[in-house]
Amino acid sequence: MSDGGTIRKYKDGEIVFKEGDPSGSAYVIMKGAVELTKNSQHGAVVLAKLKVGELFGEMGIIDGSARSATCRAIGNCALKEISPQSLMSGIQNDPDLSSKVMTKLVERLRLADEMLANAGISSSGTATPKPPAKQGATGTPPKKKGFFSRLFSPQKGREATFEILVADLFDDPDQTATLALFDNLKAMAERLGGSLINVRRTNSTFAFADFSDNPMVWGQVRTTAQATLKEEEGDLLLWGQVRARGETIHLRMTQSLPLRSIRAGYIQPCDSVDIPSELDDVVAGYVYGCATGALIPMNQNQRDCFVGLLGPALDAARPALKKRMRELDQDEQIRLEVGFANLLATCGLFKKMPQPLKEAEETYTKALRSLRRTKSTLLEGLIKRHLGYTQSAWFELGGESNLLEAAIESLREASESFTRDSFPQEWAELQMMIGQLLFKKDQINGNDMALRESIAAYQSALQVYSASTAPKRWGDAKHHLARALQLLGSQHGDLDMIARSAEACREALSVRSKMHAPMLWAATQNNLGSALFMLCQKTRKPETAEAAVKAFQAAFDVYQARKAVKLAQITEKNLLRAKEVAITLGPIPAALNAPDETPAFDETAFSTAEETTEVIEDEDTAQ
């Protein structure tokens, strides 16, 4: 809400919009004031006078109605015009903003009602209310959602915090298996998820029938599924196929939005589970657990609900591992175990509990031992990838240092299945994660070789990612490469390496957006400031000091606005030091020869990128 928007200027008495006009935008008063009036048979009634900083015009956007009042400038004023998309995105994703909007609306509506009542007018704008409609009248239009329902849950078809959609299964002509899956999953969701999870059918098969495992198919599946979920307003799509002469169901799951990068337990189109087509409570509980674990919470409210759902989902899925399922072959049984391990890993990650992560590691390892008899290379790579991310998450929660080494080894082994030639995107993603783990290894052990290997891993990923085809991942790789170069350069006093770090930061900022990913943008600004500050300490160039100040200031402004207290404190400390150096050097060339009075740089700034994780919408697919 604080970014973007067009500034509109109005003179005294000029109309911003009239009562009855279409509601096209909301406005924030940047300078001056405005007056809201409503027409009545007694003349214009003043509803409110608004001052600098106040938001108005939002009501029509939220409830889809025309302007309910006329807005007129009081004196010369400047207004920031906010698009409907920006307003609704801010309300849905920022609980503080939505609360403030609701409070302000209630207050404004109450004052308006009081003013209208004092003028002898009803809030409808007439002196006499209309008679109620007759009972049983036909042709009544569908009832619109209530105002506050639209404010806090604007999706048209949604009934719950999470919506799971079930597509008709392929090779199920009479829909027997589809109906059994839907009925059992819905009953389980009602029993365990209450009002938080709703399950509904799409009443059609998924548009993509290709179950082969190759990256092109996975990409097409994701795009097609996301289009379906956007149209149907769902969070997760279950789709699949009846197999083995009707004895088993092969299921896959796709979310409405992908994560920016993989995490422990994250389900992708390449992951699948197989279950018997004869569903009972044990199998239904397993499917419910896997589907719940595959959800991606997109805001704090969803995240809080999601954490509460994970425990019951895990309990519901666990009995399936003890049930003998003769219908499943060896690989299918392994995928069933891996599906449960993914739920365990997700539970441990979100609930910040090491025990589920430990159990997930054990389950993945058991599955890998069983896999030796089947020799399924791709499935082995999938399991090792899940295992590596789970070991990393367990290490982050205080696990022993050998987990870090184990995670690096697991991901390296996974990259032998997901080769660069056959699976370039998956290989590059693995290189990115390996690079991050090696960077952590250096920070713990001061291992110079680990840091150099980290740089090599990021450079490998950049052989696949490009600014034009994968801007987000390219930007991420450039950002992490810059951090590693900066640290290695500072350790060895290598100015060329630090300069390369600054250039990598600038390249990352060419694709990282302050509007769409403010914390990531700020992290890169902070790292750029660090690199420039180090260069300034050695070169004594005033322009470098000024550039460092600007970068730190940009990062600090975002951290402060987002209430990231720790990051703001670190950045503010470095900002003050950079300002001191800039003042010392001054704008004149003679300052270049001044003695070095710069205090030691606070290298804790290197930790900022690790502390700015957030769920980010994919700008290429989510808009």
Side-chain angles (χ1 to χ4, degrees):
M1 288 289 295
S2 61
D3 300 324
T6 302
I7 301 298
R8 308 284 186 189
K9 295 183 178 180
Y10 296 87
K11 296 179 180 179
D12 182 33
E14 193 172 353
I15 300 296
V16 179
F17 53 74
K18 291 183 179 181
E19 181 179 350
D21 286 350
S23 297
S25 304
Y27 298 89
V28 174
I29 303 173
M30 309 301 292
K31 176 183 177 182
V34 300
E35 180 182 74
L36 301 179
T37 62
K38 187 172 184 66
N39 291 326
S40 75
Q41 62 185 15
H42 304 290
V45 176
V46 177
L47 300 180
K49 291 183 179 180
L50 309 179
K51 299 178 181 180
V52 171
E54 294 203 64
L55 171 74
F56 68 95
E58 74 279 23
M59 188 181 297
I61 293 174
I62 294 170
D63 69 3
S65 64
R67 298 294 190 191
S68 59
T70 295
C71 176
R72 187 188 313 272
I74 301 176
N76 295 333
C77 68
L79 310 177
K80 178 186 284 189
E81 186 176 31
I82 306 297
S83 70
Q85 295 83 1
S86 296
L87 176 69
M88 296 308 297
S89 175
I91 290 174
Q92 294 169 43
N93 297 319
D94 187 341
D96 289 339
L97 176 62
S98 62
S99 178
K100 289 176 182 177
V101 169
M102 182 184 73
T103 301
K104 181 59 67 175
L105 284 173
V106 170
E107 178 184 331
R108 196 174 295 163
L109 287 169
R110 184 183 296 115
L111 289 173
D113 282 344
E114 289 176 0
M115 290 185 177
L116 290 170
N118 291 336
I121 307 165
S122 72
S123 58
S124 65
T126 61
T128 307
K130 294 180 180 180
K134 295 180 180 179
Q135 294 292 329
T138 59
T140 304
K143 183 180 179 181
K144 291 179 67 176
K145 278 194 173 186
F147 175 80
F148 291 108
S149 178
R150 288 181 58 84
L151 175 60
F152 294 105
S153 182
Q155 299 90 337
K156 297 175 185 175
R158 299 179 68 88
E159 298 179 12
T161 303
F162 295 104
E163 296 278 333
I164 298 177
L165 307 187
V166 178
D168 292 352
L169 299 171
F170 289 98
D171 300 322
D172 184 28
D174 59 0
Q175 297 188 344
T176 300
T178 300
L179 287 169
L181 175 65
F182 169 74
D183 289 341
N184 280 273
L185 182 57
K186 187 171 182 65
M188 194 64 64
E190 289 174 349
R191 186 191 314 170
L192 299 177
S195 62
L196 298 179
I197 293 183
N198 182 51
V199 180
R200 49 190 169 93
R201 289 181 62 188
T202 63
N203 294 315
S204 63
T205 53
F206 180 43
F208 211 85
D210 193 339
F211 291 89
S212 59
D213 286 320
N214 69 72
M216 183 173 294
V217 169
W218 296 338
Q220 292 172 335
V221 163
R222 177 181 281 118
T223 300
T224 306
Q226 288 171 351
T228 300
L229 287 163
K230 184 176 182 179
E231 176 66 25
E232 299 284 343
E233 298 180 346
D235 296 294
L236 181 74
L237 177 68
L238 268 66
W239 56 286
Q241 180 183 39
V242 178
R243 292 182 172 178
R245 299 177 301 280
E247 292 187 357
T248 64
I249 297 174
H250 179 79
L251 282 178
R252 301 205 178 192
M253 307 176 194
T254 310
Q255 303 90 346
S256 58
L257 294 171
L259 288 178
R260 190 180 184 97
S261 57
I262 299 175
R263 58 153 171 80
Y266 177 37
I267 304 300
Q268 299 186 78
C270 54
D271 292 294
S272 60
V273 295
D274 296 274
I275 57 173
S277 56
E278 291 292 331
L279 272 73
D280 56 17
D281 279 353
V282 171
V283 177
Y286 173 82
V287 175
Y288 170 78
C290 290
T292 300
L295 292 165
I296 297 178
M298 297 306 298
N299 53 51
Q300 190 59 49
N301 176 55
Q302 282 196 338
R303 185 184 180 91
D304 293 341
C305 295
F306 183 62
V307 170
L309 290 166
L310 286 173
L314 190 60
D315 292 339
R318 189 179 294 278
L321 268 70
K322 299 178 181 178
K323 180 179 180 180
R324 187 172 182 181
M325 301 184 185
R326 295 184 176 87
E327 303 91 337
L328 304 183
D329 64 26
Q330 184 69 26
D331 277 6
E332 290 171 338
Q333 181 64 40
I334 289 172
R335 284 196 288 266
L336 183 138
E337 293 173 1
V338 171
F340 179 70
N342 291 338
L343 175 58
L344 279 166
T346 300
C347 186
L349 181 69
F350 277 85
K351 295 174 79 69
K352 296 182 172 22
M353 297 170 57
Q355 182 56 39
L357 292 166
K358 179 178 183 295
E359 187 179 353
E361 186 201 37
E362 293 170 349
T363 306
Y364 289 131
T365 303
K366 176 177 177 291
L368 285 171
R369 287 198 297 267
S370 301
L371 199 61
R372 292 170 186 167
R373 297 189 291 271
T374 71
K375 299 186 183 301
S376 176
T377 303
L378 180 59
L379 183 54
E380 181 181 2
L382 285 170
I383 298 172
K384 286 182 175 178
R385 183 170 69 178
H386 282 302
L387 175 61
Y389 279 91
T390 297
Q391 290 167 330
S392 173
W394 184 8
F395 168 76
E396 292 293 338
L397 285 179
E400 296 179 0
S401 59
N402 64 341
L403 283 168
L404 187 59
E405 292 283 359
I408 294 170
E409 184 62 26
S410 295
L411 295 178
R412 280 175 169 163
E413 290 179 0
S415 67
E416 295 174 5
S417 299
F418 291 99
T419 63
R420 179 185 172 186
D421 291 339
S422 301
F423 302 94
Q425 297 297 320
E426 289 72 19
W427 179 83
E429 183 69 42
L430 286 167
Q431 298 306 310
M432 283 282 289
M433 187 59 179
I434 290 169
Q436 292 179 56
L437 296 180
L438 287 165
F439 185 88
K440 291 177 183 177
K441 180 179 177 180
D442 171 81
Q443 289 186 307
I444 294 170
N445 302 328
N447 189 323
D448 188 78
M449 182 56 67
L451 191 55
R452 294 182 185 277
E453 290 177 358
S454 172
I455 292 171
Y458 293 135
Q459 290 172 330
S460 294
L462 287 166
Q463 294 173 14
V464 174
Y465 297 137
S466 71
S468 58
T469 60
K472 288 184 179 61
R473 299 310 286 142
W474 182 83
D476 291 346
K478 285 289 185 181
H479 170 83
H480 290 300
L481 175 62
R483 294 173 66 238
L485 286 169
Q486 186 179 139
L487 183 55
L488 188 61
S490 67
Q491 290 174 354
H492 292 274
D494 189 330
L495 289 185
D496 180 64
M497 196 168 287
I498 297 173
R500 287 170 57 198
S501 170
E503 180 59 27
C505 285
R506 292 189 179 99
E507 290 175 326
L509 289 169
S510 71
V511 296
R512 282 192 162 184
S513 165
K514 181 181 179 182
M515 177 177 292
H516 294 100
M519 293 293 282
L520 298 178
W521 180 86
T524 303
Q525 289 285 4
N526 200 14
N527 288 339
L528 174 60
S530 301
L532 293 170
F533 189 83
M534 290 179 182
L535 288 173
C536 176
Q537 286 179 305
K538 299 296 183 181
T539 64
R540 312 302 292 165
K541 292 182 178 180
E543 61 271 24
T544 308
E546 289 296 335
V549 169
K550 289 181 180 179
F552 281 133
Q553 185 68 60
F556 175 72
D557 290 344
V558 170
Y559 291 148
Q560 190 176 47
R562 306 278 292 192
K563 298 180 181 179
V565 177
K566 182 178 178 181
L567 298 177
Q569 289 173 344
I570 292 172
T571 308
E572 185 178 27
K573 186 189 299 183
N574 293 323
L575 172 61
L576 293 174
R577 290 177 176 176
K579 285 182 176 180
E580 289 175 4
V581 174
I583 292 170
T584 300
L585 294 178
I588 57 175
L592 296 176
N593 298 318
D596 188 349
E597 299 175 358
T598 306
F601 182 70
D602 185 357
E603 291 191 2
T604 54
F606 287 116
S607 67
T608 56
E610 292 300 311
E611 299 177 59
T612 54
T613 53
E614 57 180 340
V615 177
I616 303 297
E617 290 189 358
D618 190 317
E619 294 168 20
D620 299 323
T621 60
Q623 298 301 319

